[in-house]
Amino acid sequence: MAAQRFATEDLDFTKFAHLVATAIIQYKGNYSLTSPPTFPIDTLPFYHDYSAAASFTQQLRSLATEEHPVDVPHNVTTRMFITASLNDLSCTDDSCYFGDSKIATSLNNISWVDPSVDVLQAYYRNISGVYTADFPDFPPVMFNFTGDDLPSSLTEAAEGTAVKVLDYNETVEIVFQGTNLLEGSEYHPMHMHGYSFYVVGLGLGNFDNETDPKVYNLVDPPKVNTFGVPKRGWVAIRFRADNPGVWFWHCHIDRHMSWGMNTAFIVKNGDSEETSMRPPPSYMPPCIDSKDNSYDEIDQTLKK
């Protein structure tokens, strides 16, 4: 088995390891090779071969068998359209190293700000002023998301700790749309904590609300907790909000996450104890700064 990195950044950015990862898989049982394994150095796609990656991704399917059933929500109660963008963020306090703005990322033009109190604790204990429950279902402005030479007026993001609140058992469809703001379109592996979701559609270009849903795969779509928003493209997912709690959404490219491409879903409790959030444990281990404490000191603290 061989694999190499897939990258969607601009071709000018090539300063990363281009090594091929390899592994040998040995099967048990009555199996023999028809020929010895060979190193596929001439058959692997180019690291920037976006067509090959898109072709492979579009072939992913669930088993959709009696042992592995598929339960795609058909009657959607909540629809969201979320743009994933590279942005500018103004520095009003002269905190930027260069100029009066810095690079940021956003979802629906909101660049996430980590609060001083975690959202889970604030929600559970009803602490006000930590977050706002007004994450928008749609971007503030509709434009040619995947176009070239987009106006700079579109690049300015707003900072916030905005979350989306869902009732228990709501059926949700989200279309993530990648944008080319700042000529920064690339693949965004979006990850949701607490859930797996069905990827019912994906494509290149701008999502068309009239035609694209007609070709959704509602029969055997893959069920995952992470899936990529294509470079200059879109992905549509569906899930049922049946796991109450506070769940973080974020791009799994670390720099995009640290720049603000995050939000959270709060899923309310259901009508029973089994469909409600569990209370916190009687003792919550404190946060410990590992760089100032040895492993033994941390271990002893957590055991108290």
Side-chain angles (χ1 to χ4, degrees), residues 209-221:
N209 192 46
E210 296 294 330
T211 59
D212 287 327
K214 295 178 180 179
V215 294
Y216 278 177
N217 175 12
L218 303 179
V219 177
D220 57 355

Side-chain angles (χ1 to χ4, degrees), residues 5 7 9-16 18 47-48 183:
R5 174 169 171 167
E9 296 92 340
D10 191 281
L11 278 172
D12 292 337
F13 299 101
T14 59
K15 294 182 179 179
F16 57 84
H18 293 261
Y47 76 90
H48 210 275
E183 302 292 327

Side-chain angles (χ1 to χ4, degrees), residues 39-203:
F39 190 72
I41 189 63
D42 297 324
T43 57
L44 286 175
F46 183 54
Y47 76 90
H48 210 275
D49 190 342
Y50 194 73
S51 296
S55 175
F56 174 82
T57 302
Q58 289 175 340
Q59 296 180 61
L60 296 178
R61 296 288 187 274
S62 289
L63 292 176
T65 63
E66 185 175 346
E67 295 81 9
H68 304 280
V70 169
D71 185 22
V72 184
H74 284 249
N75 298 317
V76 175
T77 58
T78 296
R79 297 183 188 273
M80 302 179 71
F81 183 83
I82 301 177
T83 52
S85 303
L86 189 67
N87 298 89
D88 286 322
L89 197 61
S90 295
C91 302
T92 56
D93 55 358
D94 296 325
S95 61
C96 293
Y97 287 106
F98 302 102
D100 57 1
S101 66
K102 61 183 178 181
I103 294 294
T105 56
S106 72
L107 295 175
N108 272 357
N109 213 50
I110 297 178
S111 187
W112 176 268
V113 177
D114 287 330
S116 58
V117 177
D118 64 85
V119 177
L120 174 59
Q121 183 177 185
Y123 173 65
Y124 189 82
R125 302 194 182 282
N126 198 27
I127 302 173
S128 61
V130 175
Y131 65 88
T132 60
D134 58 353
F135 184 87
D137 290 343
F138 299 92
V141 179
M142 305 297 284
F143 58 95
N144 180 15
F145 303 109
T146 56
D148 292 316
D149 301 320
L150 295 172
S152 58
S153 59
L154 296 171
T155 65
E156 182 71 23
E159 288 187 301
T161 308
V163 307
K164 173 69 177 179
V165 179
L166 297 170
D167 290 327
Y168 181 80
N169 223 31
E170 277 198 65
T171 50
V172 185
E173 177 180 305
I174 305 175
V175 175
F176 284 99
Q177 173 70 62
T179 80
N180 195 37
L181 290 176
L182 298 180
E183 302 292 327
S185 179
E186 61 181 290
Y187 182 93
H188 297 294
M190 298 303 301
H191 173 61
M192 185 181 187
H193 293 218
Y195 283 87
S196 293
F197 49 82
Y198 291 102
V199 181
V200 297
L202 74 160

Side-chain angles (χ1 to χ4, degrees), residues 249-260:
W249 262 107
H250 63 93
C251 177
H252 235 302
I253 297 177
D254 286 348
R255 67 178 182 274
H256 291 176
M257 181 172 66
S258 66
W259 289 347

Side-chain angles (χ1 to χ4, degrees), residues 241-273:
D242 56 3
N243 187 13
V246 179
W247 305 110
F248 193 42
W249 262 107
H250 63 93
C251 177
H252 235 302
I253 297 177
D254 286 348
R255 67 178 182 274
H256 291 176
M257 181 172 66
S258 66
W259 289 347
M261 194 174 284
N262 325 312
T263 187
F265 280 162
I266 293 178
V267 179
K268 295 180 180 180
N269 288 339
D271 297 328
S272 65
E273 182 179 353

